[in-house]
Amino acid sequence: MSVSDRLFLVSDIGGTNARFALARFRGGDIDIEAPVIFQTADYLGLEAALDVFLDRKGRPSLDAVAVCAAGPVIGEGAQARIHMTNCPWDVSVTALAAATGVARPLLVNDFAALALAVPHLTPADLHAVGGGTADPRAPIGILGAGTGLGVAALVPDGHGRYVAVPGEGGHVDLAPTDARELAVLTHLMGIHGRVSVERVLSGPGLVSLYMSLAALDGVAVDSHPTGADISDWAEAKSSALAIEAVSMFCGWLGAVAGNLALTLGAKGGLFIGGGIVPGWIERRCGLFDEALFRRHFEAKGRFESYLAAVPVHAIMRGDTALLGLAYAAARD
């Protein structure tokens, strides 16, 4: 390896899957190997999965380590850790340093990592979902549904770069926009008390929507479907409830995305990550109702024209968080 080459370990740890990869920084370019993907349920913690990955790679000498996980970062520096929101793993800088031999591993929220990659994405990495032209001087919003609902922002620093601002916007209060959504919210409040947006805008949330609609309509259904089952039934048009659940998901995601764009003043654009929406788009079967998303995104009364100008893109690149981590490691 030449002096200009640096080898990084990057890892994106979600509630269901943990992705590990080696990334090489060469002359300003980042090259990321295909990630090795582990299911978090198969390992007691980060250290066990990381040991397996490093053994497979021959225990390479690393110049930097950058890891993201689903949850807020608690503490700073060597004391930083993430108690994951939808997974029992506890991810800490101390454990990463001990496992890799790197003195100062970088640990960030998963959607902060996704946000850091956005300026480096190409048109081929994105799927446009309407709107106008991005203002490069304005903030950017990022959200995405998977095991949970992640939210982050990018704020211009005034010098041609961005600062990533992680948040926990998936846990804000859910607001209905029509009578059917209000009925679903009321049903879920009877079960959970307080209802966050993640309760409906996530893989488990899609199941909640489906089961709530069934309860409201008095329809007996399988009590243990998965989000994947509901997507498949909607695609096959074999279940009216599944079709409605997917449609309601798209509309409610649009409303939440519009709220985020208003809150941030995100004229720099809104980007959709996570596993669900990009996965639906890849299937090319119309599961993601872009027109419905856009209507709910823009339906903000006097600010309809404001939001109509905001461009929305779905992030289709699978290793986007790893890309953001690699650039963060190179800059750190």
Side-chain angles (χ1 to χ4, degrees):
M1 187 182 298
S2 70
V3 174
S4 63
D5 289 352
R6 287 186 284 165
L7 183 66
F8 306 148
L9 183 149
V10 290
S11 176
D12 175 16
I13 305 171
T16 303
N17 296 313
R19 295 171 172 81
F20 297 92
L22 296 179
R24 288 174 173 80
F25 184 73
R26 295 180 174 132
D29 293 327
I30 297 287
D31 178 34
I32 303 173
E33 295 182 356
V36 176
I37 303 174
F38 299 129
Q39 290 195 324
T40 56
D42 292 340
Y43 296 87
L44 291 176
L46 167 68
E47 297 89 333
L50 186 52
D51 278 344
V52 173
F53 174 78
L54 291 173
D55 283 343
R56 288 187 185 181
K57 295 297 182 178
R59 295 277 166 177
S61 177
L62 300 168
D63 296 292
V65 173
V67 174
C68 68
V73 178
I74 301 169
E76 298 181 354
Q79 305 304 314
R81 65 191 320 117
I82 295 176
H83 300 290
M84 294 187 63
T85 306
N86 294 302
C87 168
W89 286 17
D90 181 24
V91 182
S92 71
V93 167
T94 300
L96 288 169
T100 63
V102 172
R104 294 174 55 245
L106 178 65
L107 179 62
V108 300
N109 169 265
D110 58 339
F111 267 73
L114 197 70
L116 288 167
V118 165
H120 305 286
L121 297 176
T122 69
D125 299 324
L126 302 169
H127 174 88
V129 191
T133 302
D135 180 349
R137 302 161 299 177
I140 293 168
I142 302 99
L143 85 167
T147 305
L149 181 72
V151 176
L154 278 178
V155 180
D157 67 359
H159 302 285
R161 297 170 72 175
Y162 289 92
V163 176
V165 182
E168 291 299 322
H171 302 283
V172 302
D173 296 327
L174 181 66
T177 64
D178 59 33
R180 187 66 159 166
E181 289 180 354
L182 177 58
V184 168
L185 175 60
T186 302
H187 176 77
L188 290 173
M189 288 175 66
I191 299 171
H192 303 291
R194 179 183 179 271
V195 179
S196 69
V197 295
E198 186 175 272
R199 286 288 186 189
V200 300
L201 297 179
S202 61
L206 182 59
V207 177
S208 293
L209 283 175
Y210 175 82
M211 299 302 293
S212 295
L213 292 167
L216 291 170
D217 291 350
V219 178
V221 295
D222 178 357
S223 60
H224 299 289
T226 65
D229 291 333
I230 295 164
S231 297
D232 290 343
W233 298 336
E235 180 179 355
K237 296 182 172 51
S238 61
S239 164
L241 284 174
I243 292 169
E244 185 179 5
V246 168
S247 177
M248 185 172 283
F249 184 103
C250 295
W252 232 327
L253 183 66
V256 171
N259 289 343
L260 178 62
L262 282 178
T263 300
L264 296 175
K267 290 188 174 183
L270 194 289
F271 290 80
I272 305 171
I276 294 177
V277 170
W280 285 350
I281 293 171
E282 283 183 343
R283 291 165 76 157
R284 299 180 183 277
C285 59
L287 276 175
F288 182 53
D289 189 333
E290 298 180 20
L292 179 63
F293 171 94
R294 213 47 234 200
R295 285 199 301 275
H296 282 248
F297 180 81
E298 297 174 13
K300 305 298 182 186
R302 291 173 294 168
F303 277 78
E304 184 172 343
S305 61
Y306 180 98
L307 285 167
V310 175
V312 175
H313 292 85
I315 300 171
M316 306 304 293
R317 178 169 174 160
D319 66 348
T320 300
L322 299 179
L323 180 69
L325 289 169
Y327 275 103
R331 192 172 68 181
D332 193 42

